Amino acid sequence: MKNYFLFILLFYTGIVEAQQFNVGIRLQKTHQMYWENGVSAQYSFANFKPDRLFVGFDFVTSRLGTAFNSNALKQDSYIFSGSWHFFKKRQVHLVGRLNTGYLTTDLEADIFAQLPSSAFLLAPEFGLNYSPKQLPFSLNTGIGFYVNMLEESKTPGTFQPLYYHLTLYYKLFENRK
């Protein structure tokens, strides 16, 4: 499944002409739970709302966060997103984002095989983006809320609704028309 997501990401970034393509690192904290870190990528279309509408993919994992070198549960999140950047002419602007994806938790021991270990993710998110005009970097911060669409006992115990993140993007390329 991981290879499928990677293929989709590379396929669309190679075929679709992008106005801007950003890659970066993401630091994410689930409220009162795990630190998760990972990678992030987003691009905007050259011919449809350039620099306003961004489509992205994030992979965050506790393996690079709280679970690194500890006994914490290892969980991975694959997140697809669509975001809208307001007040784009300013260096600091508002961002509205809708995330959807999949969470999987490695419970490790066979004794826990009966427990739920995956969940569908859906989360509205609001944040700020700082994009200096003269530098190829942008800093994005946000707070979101995962909507739990299943009963309480049907999701992993590590699934918590409130999260916040900090993402540092590097503008891999930017086409100006």
Side-chain angles (χ1 to χ4, degrees):
M1 186 157 188
K2 292 178 189 178
N3 293 335
Y4 178 74
F5 289 123
L6 183 60
F7 172 76
I8 294 287
L9 179 67
L10 293 174
F11 178 78
Y12 282 110
T13 57
I15 289 180
V16 177
E17 182 183 352
Q19 171 74 19
Q20 185 174 329
F21 182 60
N22 303 329
V23 294
I25 56 171
R26 180 177 174 120
L27 310 173
Q28 180 171 306
K29 171 79 166 125
T30 304
H31 186 65
Q32 296 184 342
M33 203 63 174
Y34 291 150
W35 277 100
E36 298 174 299
N37 303 315
V39 294
S40 182
Q42 67 177 8
Y43 65 89
S44 73
F45 301 98
N47 299 321
F48 185 74
K49 302 296 182 186
D51 292 338
R52 290 255 184 225
L53 177 66
F54 284 84
V55 177
F57 175 76
D58 300 302
F59 170 72
V60 291
T61 180
S62 64
R63 297 170 198 270
L64 300 173
T66 301
F68 183 74
N69 224 2
S70 78
N71 198 26
L73 289 177
K74 292 156 182 70
Q75 66 183 27
D76 305 314
S77 297
Y78 306 91
I79 304 166
F80 294 95
S81 65
S83 61
W84 185 264
H85 292 234
F86 298 92
F87 313 117
K88 202 51 181 151
K89 296 195 187 304
R90 300 180 185 164
Q91 285 188 349
V92 177
H93 46 275
L94 294 172
V95 177
R97 182 171 161 157
L98 182 63
N99 301 312
T100 185
Y102 187 72
L103 166 77
T104 181
T105 305
D106 183 5
L107 299 176
E108 298 177 352
D110 291 337
I111 193 170
F112 302 118
Q114 301 274 341
L115 296 175
S117 62
S118 63
F120 175 74
L121 301 176
L122 178 66
E125 179 183 308
F126 297 99
L128 296 172
N129 185 292
Y130 173 65
S131 297
K133 300 289 184 205
Q134 59 276 28
L135 296 175
F137 294 99
S138 66
L139 189 64
N140 188 311
T141 184
I143 185 167
F145 189 84
Y146 288 121
V147 178
N148 191 356
M149 295 183 280
L150 296 174
E151 295 176 29
E152 190 71 27
S153 63
K154 304 289 185 197
T155 58
T158 58
F159 181 78
Q160 299 295 320
L162 187 62
Y163 69 92
Y164 24 93
H165 72 88
L166 177 70
T167 307
L168 177 64
Y169 286 111
Y170 177 76
K171 295 177 186 172
L172 205 55
F173 66 79
E174 185 173 18
N175 293 331
R176 290 286 167 210
K177 292 194 172 197

